[in-house]
Amino acid sequence: MRQFNRVARAGALCAALAAGAAQAAPDKVVIGDIDDMSGPYGDVIGAGGVEAIRMAIADFGGSVLGKPIDVLTADHQNKPDIGQQKFREWADTQGMTMTLGGSNTGVSLAMSAAAKEKKIPFFAIGAAGAQLTGKACNPYTIHYGYDTKALANGTAKTIVAEGGKSWFFITADYAFGKQLEADASDIVKAGGGSVVGDVRVPLGTSDFSSYLLQAQGSGAQVLGLSNAGADFSNSLKAASEFGLTKSMKPAALLVFLTDIRSVGLETAQGLILTDGWYWDLDDRTRAFAKRFYDKVKREPTMPQAAFYSATLTYLSAVKAAGTTDGDKVMDELHKMTINDAFTQNGTIRPDGLLLHDMYIMQVKTPAESKGEWDYYKLVKTMTGEEAYGKLSDSACPLVQK
């Protein structure tokens, strides 16, 4: 009985501490950043994303509704259970009011489920899976930056139009890679092309030789790289070393600025890619990039710029709502038109998708590049609807048909 009483008292103490944390939450705004800090996507957002959050907080004035703003960071290690557990932990014990991050689609789906459970806004950035605002949508998740549909509508459609009709995919073997391949395959087939084969590759693979031999044996015109981060860099480097890029056109379905830096312009030149933001796009993006560079000593990636924008957007919604209550903040987010260093005239649709322009880019040759980070030239600007499709076509059950 004494042991039972001790357990009961301990349980009551834990409940009281949790309740105390929850009661303390209204006294501050707490932004959580749960992201890949050390794995294959670590360079894409990582520490630079944390700096972007802090830049946005400083630009907003350092507080909102008279409350201080705290930032929590964690590495999810590309494991959905870790990302979801950390989300719930911070919601229960740290008074978290908003979360950014993901990078990995599987992790983001798990965190999105936690966001629904805790009624806390979650900005999924870096994760591409379109199911986040499709069948898996919920009222508390905002997909901010890009998704697999936009990537396919940009890169795959452009390459098919140029004559790349037969494709072989090297695909990251988890939710993101599979959906990216599926969306690109739909575009290829709709354009009169065909998919002659594919191979699934574990996340974090360093040796792509056996997979490239399969691609080479397929006789396909296009090598569809349905991966990202270090996996993309390693696969493209290996394809170049194999001489495969001379007989097959590589299709870079998701590429970041840091990836191009990793492989070098000599290898990456001529690649067609789709991006949601580029540091040298216009005066607005260059001004933000200069400030970021002064702090981080490199140009920002598209998701890092999105971290800045999402933080500002969230704080603006809190100010407009007069509260950090998740439902009221989400209502304000859906009313907003977003104009900042990341996007112009951006809106958040009922399915949670940030609708904004997307850009088809081509990687410059070494001779065309004028500096260390001068990598892209603009091929075409796609409207948000052209890139993401119509809201009426969304598979999200929140969308009234």
Side-chain angles (χ1 to χ4, degrees):
M1 179 64 73
R2 289 178 181 174
Q3 183 177 4
F4 173 80
N5 287 337
R6 286 197 298 270
V7 172
R9 285 196 298 271
L13 178 61
C14 289
L17 290 172
Q23 290 171 1
D27 294 331
K28 60 184 177 180
V29 173
V30 182
I31 296 174
D33 173 13
I34 304 173
D35 197 52
D36 179 358
M37 299 293 183
S38 58
Y41 308 132
D43 277 348
V44 176
I45 304 178
V50 179
E51 185 58 49
I53 295 171
R54 297 194 185 282
M55 287 176 64
I57 292 171
D59 287 353
F60 197 80
S63 65
V64 60
L65 304 180
K67 301 174 184 180
I69 304 166
D70 286 352
V71 179
L72 307 173
T73 64
D75 187 345
H76 59 50
Q77 302 172 47
N78 289 291
K79 296 178 180 179
D81 58 333
I82 291 178
Q84 189 175 74
Q85 185 274 332
K86 184 58 68 174
F87 193 113
R88 287 172 172 158
E89 175 191 329
W90 285 349
D92 292 341
T93 67
Q94 301 296 319
M96 182 174 68
T97 58
M98 183 270 264
T99 309
L100 291 152
S103 284
N104 178 305
T105 294
V107 178
S108 289
L109 288 167
M111 290 168 63
S112 178
K116 180 180 180 181
E117 173 189 330
K118 300 298 182 181
K119 297 185 177 181
I120 293 174
F122 168 46
F123 288 75
I125 300 173
Q131 65 263 55
L132 283 160
T133 53
K135 293 181 179 179
C137 75
N138 70 59
Y140 301 95
T141 295
I142 304 101
H143 203 175
Y144 210 92
Y146 63 96
D147 70 9
T148 50
K149 285 189 179 296
L151 298 172
N153 278 326
T155 305
K157 189 173 287 186
T158 299
I159 291 175
V160 169
E162 292 177 347
K165 298 290 188 178
S166 60
W167 289 56
F168 184 98
F169 287 94
I170 290 181
T171 300
D173 193 15
Y174 74 103
F176 147 69
K178 295 172 185 177
Q179 179 149 23
L180 183 53
E181 179 186 334
D183 287 337
S185 295
D186 288 344
I187 294 295
V188 171
K189 293 170 185 176
S194 63
V195 177
V196 301
D198 67 350
V199 61
R200 303 290 168 82
V201 183
L203 183 67
T205 293
S206 57
D207 184 1
F208 283 82
S209 56
S210 64
Y211 309 115
L212 292 169
L213 286 172
Q214 293 181 58
Q216 189 173 43
S218 72
Q221 297 171 299
V222 180
L223 177 65
L225 297 176
S226 183
N227 51 18
D231 287 348
F232 164 78
S233 301
N234 289 334
S235 59
L236 183 61
K237 285 178 185 176
S240 179
E241 290 166 2
F242 267 59
L244 196 58
T245 53
K246 295 179 180 178
S247 58
M248 298 180 73
K249 182 178 181 62
L253 293 170
L254 178 53
V255 185
F256 300 104
L257 197 69
T258 45
D259 302 327
I260 302 303
R261 183 174 179 79
S262 175
V263 300
L265 287 181
E266 191 65 41
T267 298
Q269 61 182 307
L271 281 178
I272 296 294
L273 59 95
T274 303
D275 214 332
W277 184 89
Y278 179 50
W279 73 269
D280 198 23
L281 189 65
D282 55 35
D283 290 343
R284 174 179 46 91
T285 61
R286 284 188 286 271
F288 170 76
K290 183 180 185 305
R291 294 174 55 215
F292 184 92
Y293 189 94
D294 288 344
K295 294 177 178 293
V296 181
K297 304 308 176 188
R298 70 180 192 182
E299 301 295 354
T301 63
M302 182 267 287
Q304 287 166 344
F307 259 48
Y308 172 85
S309 173
T311 303
L312 277 181
T313 298
Y314 168 73
L315 294 175
S316 296
V318 169
K319 182 178 179 180
T323 177
T324 56
D325 177 83
D327 290 305
K328 293 178 180 178
V329 169
M330 289 302 305
D331 285 343
E332 291 298 331
L333 287 169
H334 285 294
K335 296 176 186 176
M336 295 172 67
T337 298
I338 303 165
N339 292 291
D340 57 26
F342 179 72
T343 187
Q344 293 290 289
N345 299 314
T347 56
I348 297 172
R349 299 193 321 191
D351 58 359
L353 174 75
L354 173 66
L355 192 69
H356 66 114
D357 289 349
M358 295 288 291
Y359 308 98
I360 300 172
M361 302 285 194
Q362 185 171 34
V363 177
K364 292 182 176 182
T365 67
E368 290 173 321
S369 178
K370 297 177 182 178
E372 187 179 11
W373 293 92
D374 181 26
Y375 296 156
Y376 299 163
K377 53 187 177 183
L378 180 63
V379 175
K380 179 185 176 182
T381 299
M382 294 189 292
T383 65
E385 192 167 282
E386 184 181 1
Y388 295 99
K390 296 179 180 179
L391 178 61
S392 58
D393 294 330
S394 173
C396 174
L398 299 174
V399 176
Q400 297 181 355
K401 301 289 179 141

